Amino acid sequence: MAGGEVWRPLLAGAWLLWLLPWASAVRRSDFPAAFLFGTATSSYQIEGAYLEGNKSLSNWDVLTHLPGRVNDGSTGDIADDHYHRFEDDVELIHSLGTNAYRLSISWARILPRGRFGKVNPAGIEFYNKLIDALLLKGIEPFVTLNHYDIPQELEDRYGAWLSAEIRRDFGHLADVCFAAFGDRVKYWVTFNEPNVVVRKGYMLGTYPPERCSPPYGSCAGGDSGTEPYLATHNIVLAHATAVEIYKRKYQSKQKGLIGIVMSTTWYEPLTDSPEDRLATERVLAFDVPWFLDPIVYGDYPPEMRQLLGSRLPTFSPEERRKLGYKLDFIGVNHYTTLYAKDCMFSAGCPLGQQTQPALVAVTEERNGIPIGPPTPMPTFYVVPDGIAKIVTYVMKRYNNLPMFITENGYAQGGDGYAHVDDWLDDQGRIQYLDAYLTKLAEVIRDGADVRGYFIWSLIDNFEWLYGYTLRFGLHYVDFQTQERKPKSSALWYKRFLQSLHEAQ
Ligand SMILES: *[C@@H]1O[C@H](CO)[C@@H](O)[C@H](O)[C@H]1NC(C)=O
């Protein structure tokens, strides 16, 4: 480590209890030479132009236009206006010195009516221009086919993820995208965080299509005890459909890779009791392996089958054959670590938590002390070891399949931002990223096959139900003028990436 170790206290707002030692020493050269470093965004969160270029309404357009859904009453109608400003945004990406950029495709732009209508040339043209602009700057596009937003017509026609029909629609989207962009796109992701889509959409009922039942919530319709598992089944098989199309029709010519991105939380047992340690194993299995066990091994995790029995669907022989195409890499989105406490053997489970089906209670504190310094995003704590532990967990469970950290980042928000300069001076984000990258470098040194890292996010954007109140960007965005300004973290990332070329 060059220059010795610099220890500094972390002073996150009024957070004085924790003096986290911070060694600012991670370097680009701690990672493999061919490593991808990038930033990530998603279509609905940045594009805006929600009625332009013959795009149809997505499920998120519909949800955000309902009263009281988004906490600042905002929508993604304009968002970052990236649809009109993508050329400038490619310049921002280029200015960071990154070699990759993770974006997602708006399904409603490419196929406004799913497979019930034609491919939309204006949609294809937009992504063609974006992909070409990136490649011209030497930036590898890392493209997600579905990051939450789907054409509303598929919801209205057949109930979207609850229907097996969506597998064909998703396969059609994938086929159209591989054919249109696959000559230039070498990294494909089928789904972003499907574990979040099914929990928030069908268990808690807070994301489209807002389906749930007590005690998880009170929705107009739904069944929190069964629908999340049915929706998962269709997403897993939609993934398999897309991968089969890629592997049979495109991969040998186009020579790209295809994977899936999961939302991950690391869990620590609340106490050393065997019950809490078992609970930690369960809550982990009910999260990432829920999707990855079927994709990699052909069936749901035994930990889930044991508790859920016939509520988990089964795969037919034909579906198992389809699952045989598996995937080429695993994408890991990681932000936080929480405590897991058993509620199978000990006290009853708090009702309505998304971990209730695993008979696990999740807490953020032990003896009144939070698991790490809090951040403005609820349930997001700074626990850098978590990234090494979740990578090790995924590595062991899936036999060291190639991995990418497809999201990691830090939200600003709340009080204390009187002036733009307060947003630009994002020391908390720099400390977070530095600490997480340090741990990631260690776990790679220990043998994990991680091949890339993407910071969420390139620019401040529409943060789903938080609207514009939480800012994850390396660049500040003035949402009145759409002006972008680099925050301190953008300069920090750039310097970090340049450290490869500095004398060691
Ligand atoms: C939208 O679709 C209409 C009807 O097909 C077509 O005439 C028009 O040129 C399209 N607009 C754009 C921006 O592609």
Side-chain angles (χ1 to χ4, degrees):
M1 288 182 186
E5 291 189 332
V6 185
W7 297 90
R8 308 186 199 184
L10 173 75
L11 300 172
W15 187 253
L16 297 167
L17 259 178
W18 284 75
L19 294 173
L20 184 82
W22 175 47
S24 172
V26 70
R27 298 173 72 88
R28 171 64 180 87
S29 53
D30 296 333
F31 295 85
F35 206 75
L36 296 185
F37 273 106
T39 53
T41 61
S42 89
S43 52
Y44 187 71
Q45 293 176 273
I46 65 167
E47 284 180 7
Y50 84 119
L51 290 177
E52 279 178 67
N54 286 332
K55 174 184 164 294
S56 67
L57 288 181
S58 76
N59 55 341
W60 273 91
D61 292 318
V62 171
L63 180 100
T64 57
H65 281 255
L66 295 172
R69 288 341 193 254
V70 179
N71 76 6
D72 58 357
S74 65
T75 69
D77 292 1
I78 300 171
D80 289 305
D81 197 30
H82 171 75
Y83 186 76
H84 298 113
R85 296 166 192 269
F86 74 90
E87 284 166 314
D88 293 344
D89 288 339
V90 170
E91 285 302 325
L92 283 187
I93 296 165
H94 182 57
S95 74
L96 291 170
T98 47
N99 60 1
Y101 171 64
R102 180 167 173 244
L103 65 111
S104 83
I105 286 186
S106 159
W107 191 339
R109 270 192 211 292
I110 299 285
L111 290 160
R113 306 194 55 209
R115 70 183 202 277
F116 306 98
K118 292 201 177 81
V119 176
N120 173 25
I124 300 284
E125 189 191 346
F126 170 68
Y127 293 107
N128 264 334
K129 284 187 184 162
L130 173 57
I131 289 163
D132 288 345
L134 289 165
L135 288 171
L136 200 62
K137 296 289 185 183
I139 296 153
E140 194 75 60
F142 200 102
V143 178
T144 302
L145 292 169
N146 181 241
H147 193 127
Y148 295 3
D149 53 332
I150 69 168
Q152 179 64 23
E153 179 160 348
L154 306 186
E155 184 63 49
D156 297 340
R157 269 184 188 261
Y158 55 68
W161 303 113
L162 292 180
S163 166
E165 281 211 47
I166 198 142
R167 305 176 201 168
R168 282 181 62 194
D169 261 297
F170 187 72
H172 182 51
L173 170 72
D175 203 345
V176 166
C177 290
F178 301 148
F181 313 124
D183 57 334
R184 288 153 292 150
V185 172
K186 302 304 162 198
Y187 296 92
W188 290 104
V189 168
T190 53
F191 288 98
N192 178 74
E193 300 187 345
N195 47 344
V196 171
V197 170
V198 300
R199 284 205 204 96
K200 298 208 173 175
Y202 299 92
M203 188 185 292
L204 305 177
T206 52
Y207 278 12
E210 297 191 311
R211 293 181 63 81
C212 69
S213 59
Y216 296 90
S218 57
C219 295
D223 180 352
S224 299
T226 56
E227 287 187 357
Y229 309 107
L230 183 55
T232 297
H233 204 64
N234 286 316
I235 292 178
V236 164
L237 288 165
H239 163 91
T241 302
V243 175
E244 177 173 17
I245 291 168
Y246 191 63
K247 302 238 161 198
R248 288 171 72 131
K249 271 177 79 175
Y250 297 98
Q251 194 170 39
S252 64
K253 285 195 299 274
Q254 299 185 342
K255 308 211 184 315
L257 301 174
I258 187 162
I260 194 167
V261 165
M262 299 300 297
S263 164
T264 72
T265 301
W266 180 250
Y267 293 94
E268 291 289 344
L270 182 66
T271 72
D272 272 344
S273 72
E275 290 81 7
D276 283 354
R277 276 188 268 127
L278 268 176
T280 305
E281 290 303 315
R282 280 202 306 280
V283 75
L284 287 166
F286 273 66
D287 196 11
V288 173
W290 184 7
F291 289 75
L292 286 189
D293 272 22
I295 289 169
V296 178
Y297 297 123
D299 206 354
Y300 294 108
E303 296 94 330
M304 293 186 76
R305 189 67 76 186
Q306 225 167 33
L307 286 187
L308 299 175
S310 62
R311 278 197 279 157
L312 275 182
T314 51
F315 293 101
S316 70
E318 164 58 16
E319 290 167 353
R320 272 180 206 278
R321 186 201 57 77
K322 231 182 205 339
L323 287 170
Y325 290 95
K326 300 176 193 278
L327 80 183
D328 299 317
F329 65 84
I330 297 167
V332 170
N333 288 357
H334 183 76
Y335 295 88
T336 190
T337 295
L338 298 168
Y339 289 120
K341 176 181 172 342
D342 172 70
C343 59
M344 171 156 38
F345 299 106
S346 23
C349 297
L351 294 182
Q353 271 196 350
Q354 64 180 19
T355 55
Q356 188 187 324
L359 301 178
V360 175
V362 166
T363 70
E364 302 169 3
E365 300 180 347
R366 179 191 275 155
N367 304 324
I369 300 170
I371 192 161
T375 74
M377 178 85 169
T379 77
F380 281 19
Y381 293 84
V382 186
V383 186
D385 260 346
I387 199 166
K389 290 180 176 173
I390 192 71
V391 163
T392 303
Y393 175 85
V394 172
M395 170 175 101
K396 285 190 178 150
R397 189 148 181 141
Y398 302 108
N399 205 16
N400 214 7
L401 269 167
M403 263 180 267
F404 291 86
I405 305 303
T406 35
E407 289 181 24
N408 177 233
Y410 179 95
Q412 296 164 284
D415 302 330
Y417 296 93
H419 190 266
V420 181
D421 290 345
D422 300 330
W423 294 107
L424 297 181
D425 183 26
D426 57 344
Q427 297 305 316
R429 176 173 291 113
I430 293 174
Q431 292 175 11
Y432 177 97
L433 296 173
D434 191 293
Y436 275 70
L437 273 171
T438 300
K439 291 295 173 185
L440 182 62
E442 282 174 22
V443 79
I444 291 172
R445 216 153 38 228
D446 292 345
D449 187 6
V450 181
R451 301 184 179 186
Y453 172 88
F454 295 82
I455 294 175
W456 184 272
S457 181
L458 172 67
I459 46 181
D460 294 337
N461 57 47
F462 179 79
E463 183 49 41
W464 308 113
L465 300 183
Y466 296 99
Y468 300 99
T469 64
L470 289 176
R471 291 174 178 264
F472 274 95
L474 295 184
H475 296 91
Y476 171 83
V477 176
D478 178 331
F479 290 104
Q480 302 306 312
T481 63
Q482 290 296 342
E483 190 188 355
R484 281 88 158 122
K485 284 195 174 136
K487 299 180 191 174
S488 300
S489 59
L491 304 175
W492 169 86
Y493 199 28
K494 184 182 174 134
R495 275 199 291 272
F496 163 78
L497 293 170
Q498 284 170 345
S499 68
L500 181 62
H501 310 295
E502 287 166 12
Q504 297 297 298

